[in-house]
C-alpha cells in the first residue's frame, strides 16, 4: 500500500492541476531528488520514488480519474509501479534521458533481440606537425570482441531453452520497502531464454573482453575538437548483434612558433628598426620547407604578410590554407656607444624635419591648435 500520502501533495500540486502542471511538477521533483544527483542520500531516493509513484498514477489521465474516485489504483498498491506499462519510457523521456531508470527500479525491459555493441571513445593527442602531415596510428583499445570459441553465439550448439528462474518472462519481482519491483532476471539477463550448452570461454555471452590493435589513418589537417568515427570498431554486439563504432577524439598540441585558426597558420617574426625601415629579405622555416619573404622598406610593426597556400591542408578538400607572418618590430634595449650615436643622429635629423614643419608631431599639434 502507499503510506506515502496523497499523490497530489507529494507532487505539490492542487487536485485540479492540469496534466501539464503535474508533468512539470514531477519533472522538477525527479531531477532534484534523482539518486544519481544525490548519491547515498536515502531521503532523496525515497522522495524520488514517491514522486515517481505519484506521477505514475496522476500523470496518466485514466489512472488519475480512478485515483480521484477511489483514492487508490489497484496495481500500484499491490505491485509497485507497473514498469512494463510503458510509463517507464515516459519517465526517461520526461527527464530528457539524463538519468537511468533501469538500475534504480530494476528496469527489466531489455530487448530480446540482438543488441548493437556500445560505441567507444579513445582520446588521441597529436603534435602540430602530425596534424599537418597526417599520421598512421596504431591504437590499442580494450573492447568486447566476438568470442572465437562459439563464433559469438554464446553456445556450441545454438540451442536455447526457456529460463527456469523467470519462466520466460525476463523479469523477477520482489518486494523492497513499500515497492514491489520487478528486476531483470539475473539468470537469463532479461532474455527469457538461456542457451542449453553455454560456451565455456565466454560463459554464454558470445563476447570476450580483449585488447585490440586498430590501424587508423589520421588525415592531414585535423584539429583539436575533431572526432573521427571508425565504423564497426566499437564493442561487438550482444548475441551476434552489430558492433558499435569507435570515436577518436583528437587533440592537437600547441606549437612553439605557429598558431592556427582553421586552415590558416599564423606566426610572428621579430624585425629590428633598421630592417623595418630599410627593408630586408628573410627566410621562414615553414612546416614543409623554407619560404623566402621579402620585407619592403617602411614595414610597420604589426603588419601581416600572407604566403598563400602554405597553411594547413584542407580536410576532405584539395589545397591548403594560408600562412600569415606577423611583424614584430623590436625596440633595442641595449645600445653600444656607436649605435647610441647613430640613433642620436637620427633623432637630430627628425627634429630638424619637425621644425621644417613636415614632422609627424608638428602636424598633430598644428591640427590641435586649429581645433580639429
Ligand atoms: Zn563463446
Ligand atoms: Zn530468466
Amino acid at each position: 500500500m502507499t503510506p506515502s500520502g496523497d499523490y497530489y501533495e507529494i507532487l505539490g500540486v492542487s487536485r485540479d492541476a492540469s496534466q501539464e502542471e503535474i508533468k512539470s511538477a514531477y519533472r522538477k521533483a525527479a531531477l532534484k531528488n534523482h539518486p544519481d544527483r544525490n548519491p547515498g542520500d536515502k531521503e532523496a531516493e525515497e522522495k524520488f520514488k514517491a514522486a515517481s509513484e505519484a506521477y505514475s498514477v496522476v500523470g496518466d489521465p485514466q489512472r488519475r480519474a480512478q485515483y480521484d474516485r477511489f483514492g487508490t489504483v489497484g496495481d500500484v498498491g499491490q505491485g509497485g509501479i507497473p514498469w512494463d506499462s510503458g510509463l517507464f519510457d515516459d519517465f526517461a523521456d520526461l527527464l530528457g534521458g539524463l538519468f537511468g531508470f533501469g538500475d534504480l527500479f530494476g528496469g527489466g525491459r531489455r530487448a530480446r533481440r540482438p543488441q548493437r555493441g556500445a560505441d567507444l571513445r579513445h582520446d588521441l593527442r597529436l603534435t602540430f606537425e602530425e596534424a599537418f602531415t597526417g599520421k598512421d596510428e596504431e591504437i590499442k583499445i580494450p573492447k568486447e570482441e566476438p568470442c572465437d570459441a562459439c563464433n559469438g553465439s554464446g553456445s556450441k550448439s545454438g540451442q536455447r531453452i526457456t529460463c527456469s528462474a523467470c519462466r520466460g518472462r525476463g523479469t523477477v519481482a520482489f518486494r523492497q520497502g513499500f515497492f514491489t519491483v520487478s528486476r531483470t532476471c539475473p539468470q537469463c539477463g532479461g532474455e527469457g531464454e538461456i542457451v542449453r550448452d553455454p560456451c565455456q570461454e565466454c560463459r554464454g555471452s558470445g563476447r570476450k573482453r580483449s585488447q585490440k590493435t586498430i590501424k587508423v589513418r589520421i588525415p592531414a589537417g585535423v584539429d583539436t575538437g575533431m572526432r573521427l568515427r571508425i565504423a564497426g570498431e566499437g564493442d561487438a554486439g550482444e548475441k551476434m548483434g552489430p558492433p558499435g563504432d569507435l570515436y577518436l577524439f583528437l587533440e592537437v598540441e600547441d606549437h612553439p612558433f605557429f598558431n592556427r585558426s582553421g586552415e590558416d597558420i599564423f606566426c610572428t617574426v621579430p624585425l629590428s628598426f633598421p630592417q623595418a625601415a630599410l627593408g630586408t629579405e628573410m627566410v621562414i622555416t615553414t612546416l614543409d620547407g623554407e619560404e623566402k619573404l621579402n620585407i619592403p622598406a617602411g614595414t610597420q610593426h604589426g603588419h601581416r604578410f600572407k604566403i598563400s597556400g602554405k597553411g594547413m591542408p584542407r580536410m576532405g578538400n584539395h589545397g591548403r590554407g594560408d600562412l600569415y607572418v606577423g611583424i614584430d618590430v623590436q625596440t633595442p634595449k641595449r645600445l653600444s656607444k656607436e649605435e647610441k650615436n647613430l640613433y642620436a643622429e637620427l633623432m637630430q635629423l627628425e627634429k630638424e624635419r619637425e621644425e621644417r614643419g613636415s614632422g609627424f608631431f608638428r602636424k598633430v599639434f598644428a591640427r590641435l591648435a586649429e581645433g580639429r
Side-chain angles (χ1 to χ4, degrees):
M1 301 308 284
T2 54
S4 41
D6 181 77
Y7 287 146
Y8 294 100
E9 262 177 47
I10 290 167
L11 292 172
V13 295
S14 64
R15 293 189 82 83
D16 52 12
S18 71
Q19 290 305 124
E20 268 314 306
E21 285 174 302
I22 287 171
K23 198 176 196 173
S24 119
Y26 168 66
R27 191 172 193 277
K28 237 166 88 185
L31 285 174
K32 188 174 160 221
N33 296 311
H34 195 285
D36 284 3
R37 277 207 181 155
N38 306 276
D41 184 346
K42 275 279 151 207
E43 204 190 330
E45 188 178 330
E46 285 315 309
K47 277 185 183 164
F48 176 76
K49 284 182 176 176
S52 297
E53 186 188 328
Y55 181 70
S56 80
V57 175
V58 295
D60 173 51
Q62 260 187 342
R63 291 158 66 78
R64 183 184 181 186
Q66 196 187 340
Y67 176 70
D68 286 348
R69 207 178 303 161
F70 303 110
T72 177
V73 175
D75 55 357
V76 172
Q78 286 152 23
I81 301 175
W83 286 107
D84 23 10
S85 69
L87 269 165
F88 179 85
D89 294 334
D90 292 344
F91 281 143
D93 285 347
L94 203 58
L95 300 185
L98 284 175
F99 304 108
F101 271 87
D103 292 337
L104 188 67
F105 289 102
R109 282 172 60 81
R110 251 200 228 186
R112 296 187 186 189
R113 345 175 220 108
Q115 294 210 9
R116 183 176 178 272
D119 290 335
L120 298 176
R121 169 183 176 154
H122 182 82
D123 294 338
L124 193 62
R125 237 176 124 84
L126 300 165
T127 64
F128 200 88
E129 287 87 349
E130 286 168 344
F132 176 77
T133 54
K135 194 187 183 192
D136 287 312
E137 180 85 24
E138 281 197 354
I139 296 163
K140 285 192 180 70
I141 41 165
K143 60 180 224 163
E144 299 288 345
E145 286 275 274
C147 171
D148 293 333
C150 60
N151 284 322
S153 69
S155 151
K156 280 273 182 222
S157 64
Q159 274 188 318
R160 299 171 75 81
I161 49 169
T162 302
C163 171
S164 58
C166 63
R167 293 194 214 99
R169 291 178 51 188
T171 56
V172 286
F174 64 95
R175 223 175 156 73
Q176 190 181 60
F178 66 87
F179 266 96
T180 301
V181 289
S182 59
R183 184 154 276 181
T184 304
C185 172
Q187 184 169 306
C188 62
E191 286 188 82
E193 293 179 328
I194 52 171
V195 290
R196 188 189 285 279
D197 47 357
C199 169
Q200 297 291 314
E201 289 293 310
C202 62
R203 293 203 211 116
S205 73
R207 305 194 299 178
K208 260 175 80 179
R209 192 128 191 104
S210 58
Q211 178 110 334
K212 192 180 176 189
T213 304
I214 298 162
K215 282 186 184 163
V216 287
R217 167 99 194 120
I218 311 290
V222 294
D223 203 353
T224 295
M226 284 183 180
R227 298 189 317 179
L228 291 182
R229 176 170 158 268
I230 298 153
E233 289 294 358
D235 277 342
E238 274 182 58
K239 319 293 166 196
M240 319 261 298
D245 298 329
L246 171 65
Y247 286 90
L248 295 184
F249 283 61
L250 302 180
E251 191 191 341
V252 177
E253 288 169 10
D254 289 339
H255 191 277
F257 184 55
F258 296 114
N259 285 309
R260 74 185 273 190
S261 171
E263 296 136 359
D264 294 330
I265 299 180
F266 298 84
C267 66
T268 304
V269 294
L271 216 58
S272 69
F273 272 178
Q275 282 177 317
L278 304 173
T280 184
E281 196 172 74
M282 62 167 57
V283 174
I284 310 280
T285 306
T286 66
L287 287 163
D288 59 340
E290 299 192 325
E291 280 296 316
K292 252 189 208 154
L293 183 62
N294 192 43
I295 311 278
T299 292
Q300 301 293 307
H301 174 77
H303 184 79
R304 220 176 233 178
F305 292 97
K306 175 174 162 183
I307 304 178
S308 293
K310 288 291 167 183
M312 278 281 174
R314 292 200 176 94
M315 283 193 65
N317 262 311
H318 293 294
R320 287 165 61 179
D322 302 320
L323 171 64
Y324 290 90
V325 181
I327 296 301
D328 177 21
V329 175
Q330 298 198 320
T331 309
K333 282 182 182 158
R334 264 183 221 146
L335 298 173
S336 66
K337 199 170 177 209
E338 199 183 352
E339 284 169 328
K340 220 173 190 172
N341 290 338
L342 286 169
Y343 274 106
E345 217 172 295
L346 274 174
M347 201 149 90
Q348 186 55 37
L349 284 171
E350 175 71 9
K351 203 176 161 195
E352 285 164 17
R353 201 159 44 158
E354 293 269 332
E355 280 161 9
R356 286 199 307 274
S358 58
F360 172 72
F361 288 105
R362 173 62 55 111
K363 280 183 195 157
V364 173
F365 291 131
R367 263 187 224 151
L368 284 174
E370 287 165 26
R372 280 157 63 192

